[in-house]
Amino acid sequence: MFRRVLIANRGEIAQRVIRACRELGIETVAVYSSADADALYLRQADETICIGPPQSAKSYLDIPAIIAAAEVADADAIHPGYGFLAENDHFAEVCRSCKINFIGPTPEVIAALGDKVRARELARKAGVPIVPGSDGAVEDEKKALEVAQQIGYPIMIKAAAGGGGRGMRVARNEPSLVASFHQASSEAKAAFGDGTVYLEKFVENPRHIEVQILADEHGNIVHLGERDCSVQRRHQKLIEESPSPSLTPELRARICEAAVRVVREANYTNAGTVEFLLARDGSFYFIEVNARIQVEHTVTEMVTGLDLIQQQLLIASGERLAFKQEDVRWSGHAIECRINAEDPEKDFQPSPGKIELFVPPGGPGVRLDSHCYSGYRIPPNYDSMIGKLLVHRSTRDAAVRTMLRALDEFVIEGPKTTIPLHGSILRHSDFRAGDHDTGFVERYYGSHPAIPVKEPR
Ligand code: MV4
């Protein structure tokens, strides 16, 4: 096992990795930008190193600064967390050439899955359903029109270098397809340096189901079930839960087995997530793989009792998975609410600044992963997540009731937060019935999110 791990991240995930390392007897090195000098995770690490000014590009994204910190601190591994350098194949390659273990998949696998056209091809080869669409990249508008003629409208144009909702457009007829094709391609070129796009049939208001997997370096793969992430707004997830209220045991088994097939075809190692769209009629389609630990991994931790960060560390140090698929047991229902310092009444405008009073909820079935405290100043330079509030109860209904109780207990004075919005969503009859899809938030909380457009039935 590693002796010393450097965490190339900040906030709650830095703290989460420190906790996992502590329990495994691994020393930790935290890095920080000058904006994070008073962060809680710095007090919990064994060593801290300032890597630069507030701008991410000059600190948490600065590869030479992070590698230098790892060399100086004599770390034998780097955990990238999520965001920042977590899916940067070049960074993983630099780690390899410096003989530092990157806690994640190999650079080759990160690169292959980062190219959404290649990822789609891997899924197809693995016999996993993909959304009807183009056979690879679409080079020009003539080809785009041809493909659209074949599969029918509406069509989605996606950037090969995109993912997570970035660089996507919908076209409902030929003129709009031609315009959108060129727009999507130039946007992708500007944003990612690669204008390659591909086409898919547009699936209207799907549910978003993702499957957590673990894969060791000896060919062992297990899935840890799914998470339903359909409650999102503009590709920012608000609520995640497991199990999904929209899967039957049969459908669940098929999706989870499909996820394992994708991961095997990709030679994937470490923790990862396979994303699917689930249509109303029960058909599901692979969309992409997230080659990192995700924010919402905690939901799966609650229902499986596993520590996914410890599993990442064990896998990256070359160990075999200590359990088989049939040993994985799921219990009860977990829900996570992402609490952000944002004002839902002002189009989710970030609301950074000093937290005057922070009173965390607690009690049976409640977990809060947060790096915040009374007096903490939320820097304006990074994402606005204050923390992740989770509950674990024996049924979905009990979990919802415990979450409502915990949200009521949670006091954050100072910044505006998404706490009241979560309360409103959890009381909504469609959410209560599990009858919600990725269009739910826009539909009911479109203009003035705290006031439902249509009152819950
Ligand atoms: C789609 C889609 C409909 N049809 N692809 C958005 C995030 C990215 N991972 C894929 N996304 C979508 N791809 C086709 N062919 C709808 C979405 C989508 C979505 C997917 C998952 C979760 C939330 C979403 C919100 C809007 C659109």
Side-chain angles (χ1 to χ4, degrees), residues 80-99:
Y82 50 69
F84 297 122
L85 299 170
E87 289 174 280
N88 185 314
D89 62 302
H90 172 66
F91 179 59
E93 182 69 55
V94 173
C95 289
R96 178 195 274 163
S97 64
C98 294
K99 304 209 160 37

Side-chain angles (χ1 to χ4, degrees), residues 38-340:
D38 53 0
L40 202 52
Y41 70 92
L42 300 178
R43 303 189 201 194
Q44 296 162 342
D46 294 300
E47 189 177 338
T48 65
I49 301 179
C50 184
I51 50 167
Q55 305 100 288
S56 300
K58 294 181 173 178
S59 51
Y60 301 107
L61 289 173
D62 185 337
I63 294 175
I66 288 166
I67 296 291
E71 300 281 9
V72 165
D74 194 24
D76 48 5
I78 295 181
H79 195 300
Y82 50 69
F84 297 122
L85 299 170
E87 289 174 280
N88 185 314
D89 62 302
H90 172 66
F91 179 59
E93 182 69 55
V94 173
C95 289
R96 178 195 274 163
S97 64
C98 294
K99 304 209 160 37
I100 299 167
N101 291 283
F102 176 80
I103 300 167
T106 62
E108 292 77 15
V109 169
I110 296 172
L113 296 173
D115 178 342
K116 305 306 167 189
V117 169
R118 284 174 74 188
R120 202 170 129 83
E121 182 58 19
L122 281 169
R124 194 193 57 75
K125 266 188 155 169
V128 169
I130 54 177
V131 190
S134 58
D135 201 357
V138 171
E139 306 289 347
D140 51 44
E141 68 174 61
K142 181 167 164 284
K143 181 74 188 168
L145 287 164
E146 240 173 72
V147 173
Q149 183 74 257
Q150 278 279 314
I151 60 180
Y153 291 86
I155 290 280
M156 197 161 217
I157 304 128
K158 296 186 174 185
R166 298 174 315 152
M168 305 188 328
R169 274 171 189 270
V170 180
R172 297 188 180 271
N173 49 48
E174 292 197 343
S176 124
L177 177 67
V178 170
S180 298
F181 171 81
H182 293 290
Q183 283 162 359
S185 183
S186 21
E187 265 176 32
K189 179 78 191 162
F192 317 115
D194 174 3
T196 308
V197 298
Y198 62 106
L199 301 193
E200 281 181 359
K201 176 100 187 169
F202 177 61
V203 183
E204 304 256 12
N205 294 327
R207 290 166 208 251
H208 183 197
I209 307 289
E210 57 184 34
V211 178
Q212 178 69 55
I213 66 93
L214 293 175
D216 70 18
E217 293 169 359
H218 310 275
N220 302 299
I221 306 170
V222 298
H223 72 77
L224 302 180
E226 83 284 4
R227 295 182 288 261
D228 190 315
C229 307
S230 300
V231 182
Q232 55 80 45
R233 181 191 168 272
R234 302 196 186 158
H235 307 298
Q236 292 297 326
K237 292 165 185 163
L238 295 172
I239 299 176
E240 304 99 348
E241 63 181 306
S242 185
S244 167
S246 57
L247 291 185
T248 60
E250 294 70 33
L251 197 46
R252 172 171 300 114
R254 282 169 51 215
I255 293 188
C256 291
E257 283 158 22
V260 169
R261 288 202 300 276
V262 171
V263 156
R264 181 171 296 121
E265 186 71 35
N267 286 319
Y268 194 92
T269 52
N270 216 276
T273 300
V274 186
E275 289 191 7
F276 296 93
L277 299 180
L278 174 63
R280 275 234 162 244
D281 67 0
S283 46
F284 66 86
Y285 308 99
F286 165 87
I287 43 172
E288 54 193 73
V289 178
N290 296 316
R292 62 171 188 277
I293 196 74
Q294 287 183 282
V295 173
E296 63 270 27
H297 74 275
T298 38
V299 171
T300 300
E301 292 189 322
M302 301 295 262
V303 292
T304 62
L306 289 162
D307 183 320
L308 295 195
I309 308 294
Q310 289 190 2
Q311 291 300 319
Q312 287 192 289
L313 291 159
L314 290 162
I315 290 168
S317 70
E319 299 220 8
R320 288 171 183 278
L321 285 175
F323 51 89
K324 296 190 161 46
Q325 186 64 63
E326 56 266 33
D327 302 322
V328 179
R329 289 282 180 275
W330 291 266
S331 96
H333 199 100
I335 304 178
E336 171 172 279
C337 289
R338 295 194 192 188
I339 312 298
N340 288 348

